[in-house]
């Protein structure tokens, strides 16, 4: 049976992040992506000014109530960027209502990067995101989000021991697996992600070359590729490697094209790479 992935995220019309990344990337796996938009923006909030922002908090419950009547079942519930703190309570209810024993709940606590909250995000989001992480099977924060979830100061550099300590502290929130992205440290000279399987205690790293520059939306590219791999039944270590390699390929192509990185990375022309990484071609 074709899998259904509920993706709860905003639509930033320009910028290839959140739903405009999740829908095409997860679809590559053959799963159907059902979007629940949290807000509609003209662009994402990173590096643009005067963007429009329509909060869809009021629309979310009527939308899911309709789905409830239709008896829809989701194989994966993937939550990302929320348009208001009030949406945390709505998303918690959606997770309770729509998850059954075979539903994978994946929470990306989208709120910050490079030591700073995104433009519309306030520190009370960290409290709400922590509550969502407590309901998740898998969480996938970046280093800044991990620090903020734990109520810690973000540092520029972490060594391998500090990364592993951070993974163990995140595990106390309750998820079964943690994928920490943007992992780079003086010990590695590379960048990528660390995956921690709490039940086996295994920490694995997927690291790649570092390419100069800051590329918007790559957290969502990474998360979506990881979900694509999970829906193809890849184990967390392999899924993390797929996500790192696909994200690197998109960044490398965008770097070579020299386009304005605020518009996101070229996810489209690397779709064949993702298909290969997923073992589909
Ligand atoms: O990629 C994360 C993200 C998602 N959605 C919106 C954003 C950002 C990051 O800036 O602004 C609207």
């Amino acid at each position: 049976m074709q899998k259904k992935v509920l993706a709860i995220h905003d639509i930033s019309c320009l910028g290839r992040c959140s739903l405009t990344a999740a829908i095409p990337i997860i679809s590559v796996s053959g799963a159907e992506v059902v979007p629940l938009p949290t807000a509609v923006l003209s662009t994402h909030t990173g590096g643009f000014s005067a963007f429009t922002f329509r909060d869809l908090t009021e629309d979310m419950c009527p939308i899911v109530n309709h789905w409830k009547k239709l008896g829809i079942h989701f194989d994966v519930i993937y939550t990302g960027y929320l348009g208001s703190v009030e949406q945390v309570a709505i998303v918690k209810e959606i997770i309770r209502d729509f998850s059954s024993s075979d539903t994978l709940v994946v929470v990306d606590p989208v709120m910050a990067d490079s030591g700073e909250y995104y433009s519309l995000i306030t520190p009370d989001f960290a409290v709400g995101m922590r509550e969502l992480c407590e309901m998740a099977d898998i969480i996938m924060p970046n280093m800044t989000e991990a620090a903020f979830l734990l109520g810690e100061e973000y540092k520029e550099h972490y060594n391998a021991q500090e990364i592993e300590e951070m993974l163990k502290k995140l595990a106390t929130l309750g998820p079964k697996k943690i994928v920490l992205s943007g992992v780079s440290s003086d010990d590695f000279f590379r960048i990528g992600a660390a995956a921690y399987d709490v039940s086996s205690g295994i920490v694995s790293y997927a690291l790649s070359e570092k390419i100069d520059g800051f590329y918007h939306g790559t957290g969502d590219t990474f998360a979506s590729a990881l979900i694509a791999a999970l829906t193809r039944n890849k184990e967390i270590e392999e899924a993390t490697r797929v996500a790192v390699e696909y994200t690197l390929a998109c960044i490398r192509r965008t770097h070579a094209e020299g386009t304005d990185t605020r518009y996101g990375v070229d996810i489209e022309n690397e779709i064949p790479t993702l298909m290969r990484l997923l073992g589909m071609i």
Side-chain angles (χ1 to χ4, degrees):
M1 244 264 287
Q2 192 184 10
K3 290 188 178 167
K4 267 194 177 56
V5 177
L6 169 59
I8 307 176
H9 242 308
D10 71 282
I11 298 178
S12 289
C13 301
L14 271 170
R16 287 183 289 201
C17 66
S18 35
L19 284 176
T20 59
I23 296 171
I25 294 170
I26 300 172
S27 298
V28 171
S29 71
E32 176 191 356
V33 184
V34 179
L36 179 59
T38 56
V40 180
L41 297 85
S42 51
T43 64
H44 61 69
T45 65
F48 292 103
S49 54
F51 49 82
T52 69
F53 179 91
R54 170 136 347 244
D55 178 359
L56 296 181
T57 306
E58 303 283 297
D59 297 81
M60 290 170 72
C61 288
I63 292 171
V64 295
N65 286 341
H66 186 202
W67 296 344
K68 249 188 260 175
K69 289 197 192 111
L70 295 171
I72 300 297
H73 170 265
F74 295 111
D75 300 281
V76 179
I77 299 176
Y78 161 41
T79 83
Y81 185 96
L82 302 185
S84 68
V85 175
E86 293 71 49
Q87 290 182 5
V88 171
I90 297 173
V91 172
K92 279 162 88 176
E93 207 174 306
I94 293 170
I95 294 172
R96 271 188 225 108
D97 283 357
F98 284 90
S99 55
S100 47
S101 55
D102 60 347
T103 305
L104 188 68
V105 178
V106 185
V107 172
D108 184 350
V110 177
M111 57 184 169
D113 204 357
S114 310
E116 287 182 18
Y117 284 104
Y118 294 134
S119 143
L120 302 177
I121 306 289
T122 48
D124 47 350
F125 272 82
V127 178
M129 286 299 185
R130 197 176 314 139
E131 289 170 16
L132 285 184
C133 288
E134 287 167 5
M135 300 179 82
D137 295 305
I138 302 178
I139 63 170
M140 42 171 91
N142 61 33
M143 293 300 295
T144 305
E145 289 157 350
F148 291 1
L149 283 172
L150 297 170
E152 295 179 359
E153 288 282 316
Y154 170 78
K155 302 193 306 171
E156 283 282 319
H157 298 287
Y158 290 83
N159 63 32
Q161 192 192 332
E162 289 169 320
I163 287 165
E164 292 185 21
E165 280 167 10
M166 196 163 222
L167 286 167
K168 302 216 161 126
K169 280 188 261 177
L170 288 167
T172 65
L173 298 178
K176 299 186 188 79
K177 288 166 191 163
I178 298 151
V179 180
L180 194 54
S181 62
V183 166
S184 82
S185 88
D186 298 344
D187 302 358
F188 300 140
F189 303 108
R190 288 158 80 74
I191 190 158
Y196 177 37
D197 183 331
V198 179
S199 68
S200 69
I202 294 173
V203 177
S204 56
Y205 291 91
L207 300 170
S208 73
E209 73 183 276
K210 236 178 190 163
I211 294 174
D212 278 349
F214 182 81
Y215 297 84
H216 279 281
T218 47
D220 301 333
T221 303
F222 174 82
S224 302
L226 189 94
I227 289 167
L230 293 171
T231 65
R232 303 288 301 172
N233 301 321
K234 305 268 186 219
E235 294 297 336
I236 199 76
E237 181 173 353
E238 170 70 356
T240 304
R241 191 188 62 80
V242 166
V244 166
E245 289 195 13
Y246 173 63
T247 307
L248 171 70
C250 298
I251 292 174
R252 192 187 280 129
R253 179 180 282 271
T254 307
H255 182 72
E257 286 164 356
T259 44
D260 182 341
T261 59
R262 292 180 306 167
Y263 292 97
V265 289
D266 184 347
I267 56 176
E268 296 83 2
N269 285 294
E270 291 296 339
I271 283 176
T273 303
L274 181 57
M275 293 186 84
R276 269 193 296 278
L277 289 166
L278 293 175
M280 299 175 74
I281 50 170

